[in-house]
Amino acid sequence: MSQLHESLLVPAAGFWPDRRGERVHVRWLGTAGFEIRYGDHVILIDPYVSRCSLARCVAAPLVSDEALVRRLLPRADAVIVGHTHFDHALDVPAIARATGARVYGSHSATALCLGGQVTPSKIVDVEEALVAGGTGSFISEIGPFRLRFFASAHSKLVLGRVPLPGDIDDCDAVPMRLHKYRCGAVFGVEISVGGRTLFHLGSAELVERTLAVHNLDLLLLCVAGWTKGDDVPERVLRALSPEAILLSHWDDFFRPLDEPVRALPALQMPTLVDRLMRASRDVRIGTLPLLGETTL
Ligand SMILES: [Zn+2]
């Protein structure tokens, strides 16, 4: 791990104010993936643990490592899919089948799950619900969690464009090659549980006009692509004003989870941290080890 990432590791004590009662556990799964646990309830966001090698990504259709999925993620009440690029969505059907979790996602995520033999009644099409609701956000409750979805955007990562735009509209032929994992609609999601509020931004871009988030304790922020948008750090802080930020999606996800973490190239993380701290002097910024957790 580079020095910067080590210096950002969330300390075991002191990062959160002391608190009595049930705590909210947040575990980083690598990429933009998180497990949020409260009591006996678990939700997963953009879980991608199979981490196919670059060689496999190029050469063959992508397949979930189902044994690893079952070992690492044995329980889930819900799985949230922020968008359907493979590094956010590949493992979702396998997790949903193994755990019986409800899946929240776009038309694309719905198509992917139906193709992956997920029970149709377990799939919530958030894109459809947002349009039907007409209020700019869609709220759903599951166990102690209150989820609120907002339309969001993907960073223009590749030559000023969103990589693999468009929808997955037909995946009768699963497993699919990497390029078939089209982005689909993109969501940011607010998660409220146990008196705490978290927000997940799975790509380094946002749509401020739809966002109405208050008293945010923790922002789960994607790093990859942050330099490709205009003033992303400043806009994120203005729109969301979090108390603390966990940086995610900075790791090289072509390496398996049991190898030492390595940062993606050209992320300019020191500059990102510097700009976040300049935009809000009080914000606490950290990252977790792969599969590490913090409690708030
Ligand atoms: Zn993406």
Side-chain angles (χ1 to χ4, degrees):
M1 196 184 284
S2 77
Q3 262 183 344
L4 175 73
H5 303 139
E6 269 170 27
S7 73
L8 285 173
L9 280 180
V10 171
F15 197 73
W16 305 107
D18 282 338
R19 188 171 184 240
R20 286 200 195 132
E22 190 81 63
R23 307 284 293 258
V24 178
H25 300 258
V26 178
R27 180 162 70 134
W28 184 42
L29 306 175
T31 56
F34 286 92
E35 177 190 77
I36 319 284
R37 202 169 79 244
Y38 185 73
D40 290 335
H41 295 274
V42 174
I43 61 171
L44 303 172
I45 315 172
D46 288 359
Y48 174 56
V49 295
S50 291
R51 292 165 80 97
C52 306
S53 69
L54 187 56
R56 253 186 59 197
C57 283
V58 172
L62 302 179
V63 249
S64 239
D65 182 339
E66 301 213 14
L68 183 68
V69 160
R70 275 196 300 275
R71 183 161 62 79
L72 288 180
L73 307 171
R75 284 184 3 217
D77 298 285
V79 185
I80 295 166
V81 194
H83 67 276
T84 48
H85 284 149
F86 77 99
D87 53 328
H88 299 248
L90 174 69
D91 289 335
V92 170
I95 295 167
R97 283 195 309 269
T99 61
R102 193 189 296 169
V103 179
Y104 292 89
S106 59
H107 297 336
S108 268
T110 302
L112 181 70
C113 287
L114 290 175
Q117 312 305 319
V118 176
T119 310
S121 63
K122 292 284 188 182
I123 306 167
V124 180
D125 188 331
V126 173
E127 197 175 347
E128 195 174 284
L130 270 174
V131 172
T135 55
S137 68
F138 165 64
I139 296 172
S140 182
E141 288 184 2
I142 184 143
F145 296 98
R146 178 181 181 268
L147 311 176
R148 191 169 177 208
F149 294 84
F150 299 89
S152 193
H154 198 282
S155 71
K156 294 179 175 165
L157 261 178
V158 181
L159 305 173
R161 287 163 184 238
V162 174
L164 303 173
D167 287 326
I168 300 168
D169 44 20
D170 176 10
C171 50
D172 287 345
V174 259
M176 301 192 296
R177 308 284 298 230
L178 182 151
H179 68 275
K180 298 262 192 180
Y181 282 84
R182 316 303 293 195
C183 183
V186 183
F187 307 107
V189 59
E190 177 194 76
I191 300 129
S192 306
V193 63
R196 291 285 197 247
T197 304
L198 298 84
F199 193 86
H200 181 264
L201 210 53
S203 185
E205 195 38 89
L206 67 164
V207 180
E208 289 96 324
R209 72 190 142 72
T210 65
L211 283 176
V213 176
H214 305 287
N215 302 320
L216 184 58
D217 294 292
L218 178 62
L219 170 64
L220 307 171
L221 177 64
C222 165
V223 172
W226 78 269
T227 57
K228 307 294 182 186
D230 293 328
D231 301 329
V232 170
E234 292 77 16
R235 286 167 51 219
V236 162
L237 282 176
R238 254 196 319 270
L240 296 167
S241 304
E243 294 275 322
I245 298 175
L246 275 183
L247 299 174
S248 71
H249 216 335
W250 53 266
D251 53 314
D252 177 351
F253 49 88
F254 295 109
R255 290 160 66 82
L257 281 172
D258 55 5
E259 281 184 21
V261 69
R262 189 189 283 164
L264 291 166
L267 287 180
Q268 300 187 40
M269 260 173 82
T271 311
L272 171 63
V273 171
D274 193 49
R275 282 185 45 188
L276 288 168
M277 299 202 38
R278 256 190 241 185
S280 169
R281 220 176 302 152
D282 301 329
V283 72
R284 301 189 299 285
I285 302 173
T287 189
L288 291 169
L290 283 175
L291 302 179
E293 80 168 40
T294 186
T295 52
L296 63 156

